Amino acid sequence: MNKLRGYAAVLGLAGMLLMVAADTKDVEATGKISYESESGTESERGVKPAAGRIADCSNLEIVIQEWKKETARQQEQVILAARSLERAEEIREEAQRAREIPPYVVELSEADYEALLRIVEAEASGEDILGRMLVANVVINRVKSPVFPDSVEEVVYQCKNGKAQFSPVATGKISRVRVSQETVEAVERALRGEDESRGALYFVSRTYAAPESIAWFDQSLTWLFSYHGHEFYA
C-alpha cells in the first residue's frame, strides 16, 4: 500500500508540473500583453515590461484555483485506483486460500459440529492431536456407513437395544466437558479429510471397558490397530 501511495504522489506531482508548463505555454502563445495606465503604457514612460507578468490578477487566481481542484481530483482518482487494485489483490488471495482448503467430508449442522467436538473431548481428553482425530474419524466413518445413522448428532447419541454407543453419552460426561483448542484442531483436520483410522467403525479402551464388552469386540469385530489408550476395530 505504501508503494501505491508513493506512485500516487509521483503521478500527482507530475500532473502539477505538466499543468504549470501548459499554463506557461498558453501565456506565451497569446503574444505581447499591453500594460496601460492613466499616464500611458510602460513603453511610453520608458519602463520595460517585466517578462511573464499578467495584467489581470483576478484571472490568474481563477486559473490557480482551477488548477488546484483538477490536481486534487487527479490525485484522488489515482488513490482510488490504487485502493481498487489493492482490494482486487486481497480478493484474489482470499480465493486462492479458499481453493487450498478442502471442504468438509460430511455435511454438518451446528448441532452436529457441537456433538462431534463434545464426543471427541469426552473420549480423548488425555490424548494427543492424532488420538483425538482418530475418535473423530470413527464418528465420521459411521456417518458415511449405511449401517449407522446419516448425521453426526444421530451417530453420537445413537442407542442400540437401549444402550448408548459411546460411554460418555451414557454417563452424561459429554454434557459436562469443556472443549479444548486441541480438540477443535483435531476435529477440523478430521472433517477436512485427514484420516488415519483405516476405516475403523469402533474403538474401545480395555482399561475402562467391561469384560463382556471387550469379549464382544474381540469375537465380533476385526481388530485393526491400537493407539495409546484405544483399540480400533472394523
Side-chain angles (χ1 to χ4, degrees):
M1 185 59 183
N2 290 333
K3 289 183 178 179
L4 293 175
R5 288 178 176 170
Y7 297 153
V10 171
L11 289 173
L13 179 58
M16 294 180 187
L17 294 174
L18 288 173
M19 295 182 69
V20 170
D23 291 340
T24 303
K25 290 180 179 179
D26 289 340
V27 172
E28 292 174 350
T30 58
K32 295 182 178 179
I33 301 176
S34 176
Y35 297 87
E36 298 182 354
S37 65
E38 294 180 357
S39 59
T41 66
E42 289 184 341
S43 297
E44 292 172 348
R45 301 196 311 271
V47 178
K48 185 178 180 179
R53 288 179 56 191
I54 299 177
D56 193 341
C57 291
S58 62
N59 288 341
L60 176 59
E61 183 65 26
I62 292 174
V63 169
I64 292 174
Q65 291 300 322
E66 291 299 322
W67 167 68
K68 289 181 178 179
K69 290 178 182 179
E70 178 63 19
T71 300
R73 186 186 68 81
Q74 290 181 358
Q75 288 178 327
E76 183 177 357
Q77 287 179 340
V78 171
I79 292 172
L80 288 175
R83 288 175 178 171
S84 296
L85 288 173
E86 184 182 47
R87 180 55 185 153
E89 180 63 17
E90 290 176 354
I91 293 173
R92 188 193 69 77
E93 291 176 354
E94 289 172 1
Q96 179 65 26
R97 286 194 295 271
R99 286 193 294 270
E100 293 172 354
I101 299 175
Y104 283 171
V105 294
V106 292
E107 293 186 5
L108 288 179
S109 66
E110 290 185 9
D112 290 327
Y113 188 66
E114 177 73 14
L116 186 55
L117 288 174
R118 287 188 169 278
I119 196 61
V120 170
E121 186 68 42
E123 288 280 12
S125 57
E127 292 285 340
D128 58 13
I129 291 293
L130 179 56
R132 296 168 196 252
M133 285 175 57
L134 288 170
V135 172
N137 289 150
V138 168
V139 175
I140 292 169
N141 290 344
R142 287 191 178 192
V143 173
K144 293 179 178 180
S145 171
V147 179
F148 294 91
D150 296 330
S151 75
V152 169
E153 185 180 27
E154 289 174 325
V155 164
V156 169
Y157 291 100
Q158 181 185 18
C159 286
K160 233 176 179 182
N161 300 322
K163 184 178 180 181
Q165 294 294 289
F166 296 94
S167 59
V169 174
T171 62
K173 180 181 178 181
I174 191 171
S175 300
R176 300 190 297 270
V177 294
R178 182 176 180 179
V179 176
S180 64
Q181 186 58 43
E182 289 85 355
T183 290
V184 172
E185 179 184 344
V187 166
E188 281 294 319
R189 289 172 62 176
L191 287 171
R192 299 293 181 187
E194 290 190 51
D195 186 1
E196 299 293 336
S197 69
R198 306 181 198 174
L201 293 171
Y202 303 86
F203 63 86
V204 67
S205 173
R206 289 184 180 268
T207 303
Y208 299 103
E212 60 271 20
S213 296
I214 296 297
W216 180 84
F217 273 82
D218 290 337
Q219 296 168 11
S220 304
L221 303 175
T222 300
W223 186 90
L224 296 175
F225 65 96
S226 64
Y227 186 81
H228 291 181
H230 287 119
E231 296 182 21
F232 294 83
Y233 294 78

